[in-house]
Amino acid sequence: MTQGRCATDCGLSRRAGTDCGLEQGAFRARRGPVRHSPRRAGGGGGSGGISCAAAVLLLLAALGCDRGTPPPAQTNEAERAQRLPTATLRVGDLPLTVEVADSEAERQKGMMFRPRIGPDEAMLFVFPSDANVAFWMKNSYADLDLAFIRSDGSIVQTERMRAYSEEPVFSREPVRFALEVPAGWLEAHGIAIGTKVTIPEDVAAGATP
């Protein structure tokens, strides 16, 4: 993921750790008057104890009613993992189906919260223009390979991304795309610096800031 996932905008990194869809609910307590039963003249401590207990119960009931709706339970991590529209690229001579992250929010989240990554699961990050970018692995549970790709489709840098690491990995030059695949996938398929990635024109042109 870009550092938040994309570090081209510093604000993204600050938003990356935000849990999606959770709001802190506000509880309201409505207090009403509590009436105490008078002690009976000459009565023992027992009736006074009963009155005090009744008063406590009435107070608890007053506090307990009319609470606001509690916050929703946190969704599990699998539900928080985004799944995006797909496209088919050619990485060298190899066809590869990828999810396409072409908006700020999608680039920011990337493959976060996925409990496992399939053997050919891949994500293409599309940026609006060539830029120096940085990726990190916050909330990412499996090692990944990362390829930085120029606007002409050539891979100019590859990196091994370690699960959970919050250490940013920067592109050494401006790039237009980045490709994430399971760790070891690039080497297993002979993909290296200089390999050409063919990206459909509509995919390359679809990025938003």
Side-chain angles (χ1 to χ4, degrees):
M1 68 175 180
T2 54
Q3 188 171 5
R5 270 197 178 207
C6 176
T8 53
D9 180 349
C10 296
L12 294 180
S13 61
R14 290 194 294 272
R15 293 195 294 273
T18 303
D19 286 335
C20 299
L22 298 181
E23 296 179 358
Q24 188 169 359
F27 288 92
R28 302 184 303 279
R30 185 174 63 195
R31 287 181 168 80
V34 179
R35 297 176 181 173
H36 294 266
S37 300
R39 286 187 178 225
R40 294 179 182 175
S47 62
I50 293 173
S51 297
C52 289
V56 170
L57 290 175
L58 286 171
L59 177 60
L60 291 176
L63 291 175
C65 65
D66 195 32
R67 290 188 178 223
T69 303
Q74 183 171 339
T75 56
N76 64 42
E77 290 167 350
E79 290 171 341
R80 290 161 66 188
Q82 67 178 350
R83 298 289 172 174
L84 301 175
T86 61
T88 300
L89 319 176
R90 293 196 73 84
V91 184
D93 294 325
L94 182 71
L96 177 66
T97 299
V98 299
E99 294 178 57
V100 179
D102 57 8
S103 71
E104 176 185 329
E106 292 166 355
R107 292 189 297 265
Q108 179 180 328
K109 193 168 184 181
M111 289 191 179
M112 277 184 171
F113 304 112
R114 299 191 181 193
R116 64 189 63 83
I117 303 294
D120 291 306
E121 193 167 343
M123 183 173 289
L124 180 73
F125 296 79
V126 184
F127 301 98
S129 59
D130 292 6
N132 289 96
V133 297
F135 282 63
W136 64 355
M137 292 288 283
K138 182 175 181 178
N139 297 323
S140 299
Y141 307 150
D143 292 356
L144 298 171
D145 283 349
L146 173 66
F148 290 110
I149 306 168
R150 286 188 188 131
S151 55
D152 67 0
S154 57
I155 293 177
V156 294
Q157 180 182 340
T158 62
E159 301 286 349
R160 176 61 55 86
M161 306 294 288
R162 300 297 179 185
Y164 302 105
S165 174
E166 297 187 21
E167 186 72 23
V169 174
F170 294 88
S171 64
R172 291 190 285 270
E173 63 177 85
V175 295
R176 182 71 179 280
F177 311 99
L179 176 66
E180 282 187 340
V181 290
W185 190 95
L186 295 178
E187 183 178 2
H189 293 87
I191 308 303
I193 292 172
T195 299
K196 198 70 173 286
V197 180
T198 304
I199 300 169
E201 290 184 6
D202 60 328
V203 174
T208 59

